Amino acid sequence: MSGAESFVPTPLMLSDGARSRLAALIEELGNPRLKLRVYVTGGGCSGFQYGFDFAEETAEDDTLVEFGAVSLVVDPLSYQYLVGSTVDYEEGLAGARFLVQNPNATTTCGCGASFMV
């Protein structure tokens, strides 16, 4: 009989492309203390929308997810909507942007910036 396996889920993932772009932006800005803040707000065509910002400081109740030299920060309200998601980065005809691939979203808009759970 084998023992139980331990599994610690990662609340958020950061794709290789997003890691590279985030590291490059931090280097360009010359501030290694910067972290990418990912948040969810009400609005958008599907009910909620994603937002991104840089943060130097984290609040006591923020979740900090580290990926080597880069980190994501999520507030407690947004965290519940983002668990299991992957933050990615894409460049295309519409421009360059960070985006969230969220398995919890039941509906998303065409641009991928808003969602419904």
Side-chain angles (χ1 to χ4, degrees), residues 2-111:
S2 64
E5 288 187 38
S6 176
F7 175 73
V8 178
T10 302
L12 282 171
M13 295 302 298
L14 190 62
S15 72
D16 291 340
R19 287 181 200 196
S20 296
R21 183 61 183 145
L22 183 54
L25 287 170
I26 290 169
E27 186 175 329
E28 285 174 27
L29 296 171
N31 187 349
R33 295 182 59 215
L34 290 177
K35 300 156 190 61
L36 183 64
R37 180 173 291 280
V38 183
Y39 58 92
V40 173
T41 60
C45 53
S46 294
F48 295 103
Q49 60 188 3
Y50 302 110
F52 299 94
D53 198 3
F54 280 114
E56 268 190 71
E57 304 296 325
T58 57
E60 186 176 303
D61 58 352
D62 280 341
T63 297
L64 177 67
V65 186
E66 297 178 321
F67 299 93
V70 297
S71 302
L72 295 177
V73 178
V74 183
D75 65 88
L77 180 63
S78 300
Y79 179 86
Q80 63 186 326
Y81 297 107
L82 295 169
V83 169
S85 296
T86 298
V87 175
D88 198 3
Y89 178 77
E90 72 175 11
E91 293 180 11
L93 295 175
R97 65 184 178 146
F98 286 100
L99 60 111
V100 176
Q101 298 169 350
N102 189 342
N104 305 307
T106 57
T107 304
T108 60
C109 68
C111 68

